[in-house]
């Protein structure tokens, strides 16, 4: 007998609404309890995935979580966060405080999690393209060449690479109409040609292209895509320095039937979100957690069980949890000098900028491409071709070529790893090397 999935989902949705009406969430924001942070307390009926939803609301506002205590043992979820803005200051903006109350409180609309998500961009004005495949030099150049040939303009993009794998979420519009691409034949052609590019000459690993008109939360999807692509599996040839990896341990607390996950690593923005994403994707429930990130190092401790009610029960499972959490932490790490480009958007802007980078022997390790109100606001992390810090003369030459007021130096992060230790570098390396596109079916 076939089951009507939409009917089943509607029933679940109505049950969630009923529970929330009977036990509405309560949000308290306190700027007096802590000297150097705003304290946010959230009490709510417990459900699978609620921790991720709450953390996502705070992360999407670019807030820094310096401390957190989570408890969801039983039918109730209680969470306390110490947060600051990106400048380390308490939250004073009433608009932001009101948004947090509405997003997490009784009037919130983030239930159920599979249908609604804070930070999701409407797809009415663009088409979403999701890409996963084997990372290699020049891959992004080939992707852009396909989209340009098909008269598509990239208005937003985020690309992550890890452990020789690449994942990207691109938002594109029709070059002529500046709107969503809906023609089925054209969408099918985009998918076919991009998949050919992603496959390249590597037939041993799968490549995947998904063209969608649905809404998505970009960073959430990138975690899901890379997890599904098994980027956490390290090859036998990976001899990277073990000391550079996050310190992740998993032990069992047999008296309470919990597995205790402990993470020690360098702190960075969105670290908590990345870890909770992966635990959720792996179908683990966080019952208690302690988070501390008031210094350069972050300490996180989670008491978890699988959704089946059991703790980690084998060495193979324990190793898999460790590998997946290491991958979650490493995916977003940005090495190099941070450059921010702000100018009027136009077709081909990204290609022109990265060409200038290449001509000055710069290698882009990660990039975020954003368009707002006709303005391109792009962030690039760059090292030299050998993976070393970029000298000031090179940066001066690049800024002179692009425009001193258009390209700004924002900060310096760790750029000391060698190319072998930085698999994220390969996606952009050799970005504009001349390669024939005949093998990808792009001519004729």
């Amino acid at each position: 007998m076939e089951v009507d999935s939409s009917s089943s989902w509607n029933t679940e949705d109505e049950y969630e609404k009923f529970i929330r009406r009977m036990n509405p969430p309560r949000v308290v924001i306190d700027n007096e309890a802590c000297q150097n942070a705003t304290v946010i307390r959230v009490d709510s009926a417990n459900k699978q995935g609620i921790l991720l939803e709450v953390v996502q609301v705070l992360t999407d506002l670019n807030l820094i979580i310096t401390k957190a205590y989570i408890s969801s043992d039983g039918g109730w979820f209680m969470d306390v966060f110490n947060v600051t803005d990106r400048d380390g200051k308490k939250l004073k903006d009433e608009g932001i405080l009101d948004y947090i109350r509405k997003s997490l409180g009784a009037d919130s609309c983030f239930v159920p999690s599979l249908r609604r998500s804070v930070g999701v961009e409407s797809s009415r004005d663009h088409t979403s393209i999701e890409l996963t495949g084997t990372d290699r030099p020049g891959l992004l150049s080939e992707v852009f060449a396909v989209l340009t040939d098909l008269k598509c303009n990239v208005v937003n993009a985020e690309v992550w690479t890890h452990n020789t794998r690449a994942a990207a979420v691109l938002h594109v519009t029709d070059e002529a109409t500046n709107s969503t691409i809906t023609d089925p034949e054209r969408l099918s052609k985009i998918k076919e040609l991009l998949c050919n590019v992603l496959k390249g000459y590597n037939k041993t690993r799968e490549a995947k292209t998904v063209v969608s008109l649905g809404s998505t939360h970009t960073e959430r999807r990138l975690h899901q895509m890379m997890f599904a692509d098994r980027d956490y599996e390290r090859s036998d040839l990976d001899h990277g320095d073990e000391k550079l990896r996050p310190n992740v341990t998993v032990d069992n607390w047999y008296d309470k039937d919990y597995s205790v996950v402990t993470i020690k690593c360098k702190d960075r923005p969105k670290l908590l979100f990345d870890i909770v994403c992966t635990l959720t994707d792996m179908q683990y429930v966080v019952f208690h957690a302690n988070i501390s990130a008031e210094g350069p190092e972050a300490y996180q401790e989670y008491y978890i069980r699988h959704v089946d009610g059991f703790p980690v029960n084998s060495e193979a499972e324990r190793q898999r949890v460790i590998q997946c959490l290491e991958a979650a932490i490493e995916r977003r790490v940005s090495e190099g000098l941070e450059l921010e480009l702000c100018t009027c958007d136009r077709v081909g802007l990204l290609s022109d900028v990265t060409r200038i980078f290449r001509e000055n022997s710069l290698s882009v390790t990660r990039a975020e491409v954003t368009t707002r109100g006709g303005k391109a606001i792009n962030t690039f992390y760059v090292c030299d071709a050998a993976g070393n810090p970029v000298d000031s003369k090179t940066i001066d030459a690049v800024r002179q070529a692009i425009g001193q007021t258009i390209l700004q130096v924002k900060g310096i992060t760790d750029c000391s790893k060698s190319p072998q230790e930085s698999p994220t570098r390969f996606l952009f390396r050799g970005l504009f090397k001349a390669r024939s596109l005949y093998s990808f079916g792009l001519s004729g």
Side-chain angles (χ1 to χ4, degrees):
M1 181 181 68
E2 294 187 0
V3 178
D4 186 344
S5 59
S6 63
S7 175
S8 175
W9 178 250
N10 289 336
T11 301
E12 182 180 349
D13 197 356
E14 290 303 316
Y15 178 73
E16 294 283 1
K17 291 179 181 177
F18 173 74
I19 293 297
R20 290 176 66 81
R21 284 195 298 268
M22 296 298 294
N23 302 281
R26 187 169 67 98
V27 179
V28 176
I29 301 178
D30 189 344
N31 263 321
E32 303 299 327
C34 180
Q35 183 177 359
N36 53 10
T38 298
V39 178
I40 301 175
R41 299 182 180 88
V42 182
D43 297 334
S44 174
N46 192 22
K47 70 181 184 68
Q48 169 67 0
I50 188 172
L51 175 60
L52 175 57
E53 292 171 354
V54 173
V55 171
Q56 184 173 301
V57 169
L58 302 178
T59 300
D60 287 341
L61 289 170
N62 289 320
L63 303 181
I64 304 298
I65 300 172
T66 59
K67 277 189 177 182
Y69 172 74
I70 293 108
S71 179
S72 61
D73 207 346
W76 200 251
F77 172 82
M78 294 176 288
D79 218 350
V80 180
F81 296 97
N82 286 17
V83 304
T84 69
D85 62 17
R86 295 299 289 268
D87 296 322
K89 298 178 180 179
K90 292 184 180 183
L91 310 184
K92 299 293 187 178
D93 189 320
E94 282 300 325
I96 292 178
L97 298 178
D98 189 55
Y99 179 84
I100 293 172
R101 293 187 189 98
K102 290 181 177 179
S103 298
L104 300 180
D107 297 330
S108 66
C109 61
F110 62 76
V111 173
S113 60
L114 292 179
R115 184 175 296 177
R116 309 184 185 96
S117 185
V118 173
V120 169
E121 296 188 50
S122 170
S123 63
R124 291 176 295 178
D125 299 325
H126 65 249
T127 300
S128 295
I129 302 176
E130 299 176 357
L131 310 173
T132 54
T134 301
D135 190 21
R136 70 175 188 277
L139 175 60
L140 191 60
S141 176
E142 293 164 8
V143 168
F144 285 151
V146 171
L147 294 174
T148 299
D149 186 71
L150 295 172
K151 307 299 181 184
C152 299
N153 183 35
V154 179
V155 294
N156 295 286
E158 187 151 356
V159 183
W160 291 358
T161 65
H162 178 253
N163 197 20
T164 75
R165 305 301 293 169
V169 175
L170 314 174
H171 295 159
V172 304
T173 59
D174 179 81
E175 183 180 319
T177 65
N178 198 32
S179 62
T180 304
I181 302 168
T182 58
D183 178 57
E185 291 187 7
R186 189 175 177 192
L187 292 174
S188 179
K189 189 68 172 178
I190 292 172
K191 182 176 178 180
E192 176 189 352
L193 296 183
L194 286 178
C195 200
N196 289 342
V197 169
L198 289 167
K199 287 179 181 177
Y201 302 104
N202 188 339
K203 307 301 181 182
T204 61
R205 288 293 299 268
E206 181 185 10
K208 186 179 297 184
T209 302
V210 177
V211 179
S212 170
L213 300 180
S215 297
T216 184
H217 184 279
T218 299
E219 295 169 338
R220 181 81 181 97
R221 281 299 299 144
L222 284 168
H223 276 299
Q224 292 173 329
M225 291 159 61
M226 298 208 83
F227 175 74
D229 198 43
R230 305 172 73 90
D231 73 312
Y232 52 85
E233 293 182 343
R234 299 185 184 274
S235 68
D236 295 335
L237 300 177
D238 183 4
H239 300 298
D241 191 344
E242 294 285 345
K243 295 180 181 179
L244 297 175
R245 293 180 184 170
N247 185 344
V248 182
T249 62
V250 179
D251 300 295
N252 280 352
W253 186 8
Y254 293 103
D255 291 344
K256 299 292 184 179
D257 281 337
Y258 290 133
S259 289
V260 183
V261 177
T262 303
I263 298 170
K264 299 176 184 178
C265 65
K266 184 177 180 180
D267 190 32
R268 61 166 174 78
K270 303 188 179 183
L271 177 64
L272 178 60
F273 172 79
D274 295 338
I275 292 170
V276 173
C277 269
T278 296
L279 290 173
T280 303
D281 289 341
M282 296 183 73
Q283 299 293 300
Y284 288 103
V285 179
V286 176
F287 288 88
H288 302 280
N290 287 292
I291 312 299
S292 178
E294 293 185 302
E297 298 296 316
Y299 177 85
Q300 302 189 7
E301 186 177 65
Y302 299 88
Y303 295 78
I304 66 171
R305 294 184 192 133
H306 195 267
V307 290
D308 62 12
F310 292 97
V312 174
N313 56 22
S314 70
E315 178 60 22
E317 183 183 0
R318 190 180 76 86
Q319 289 298 327
R320 184 169 180 265
V321 171
I322 291 173
Q323 290 176 350
C324 290
L325 290 176
E326 287 178 347
I329 296 168
E330 293 170 347
R331 286 171 192 150
R332 201 198 290 267
V333 172
S334 299
E335 303 155 5
L337 183 70
E338 181 181 355
L339 303 176
E340 183 178 85
L341 180 141
C342 184
T343 188
C344 293
D345 186 39
R346 60 176 173 80
V347 176
L349 173 65
L350 184 62
S351 297
D352 291 341
V353 170
T354 49
R355 173 182 53 79
I356 294 172
F357 287 168
R358 180 190 62 81
E359 290 173 350
N360 285 272
S361 300
L362 296 186
S363 179
V364 180
T365 61
R366 191 166 76 91
E368 298 173 3
V369 178
T370 307
T371 304
R372 300 173 189 164
K375 285 280 188 179
I377 305 173
N378 301 338
T379 301
F380 304 92
Y381 296 87
V382 298
C383 296
D384 70 11
N388 298 316
V390 183
D391 64 66
S392 58
K393 291 182 179 180
T394 301
I395 291 299
D396 289 342
V398 170
R399 293 187 65 203
Q400 184 174 357
I402 295 175
Q404 296 283 349
T405 60
I406 293 175
L407 188 68
Q408 299 289 333
V409 178
K410 301 298 292 184
I412 299 177
T413 55
D414 183 12
C415 193
S416 60
K417 293 185 181 182
S418 68
Q420 291 80 8
E421 295 166 347
S422 304
T424 60
R425 301 178 66 252
F426 292 112
L427 182 67
F428 295 93
R429 198 175 179 185
L431 190 62
F432 288 87
K433 286 183 179 178
R435 291 191 59 177
S436 171
L437 297 178
Y438 282 86
S439 59
F440 299 117
L442 298 179
S443 60

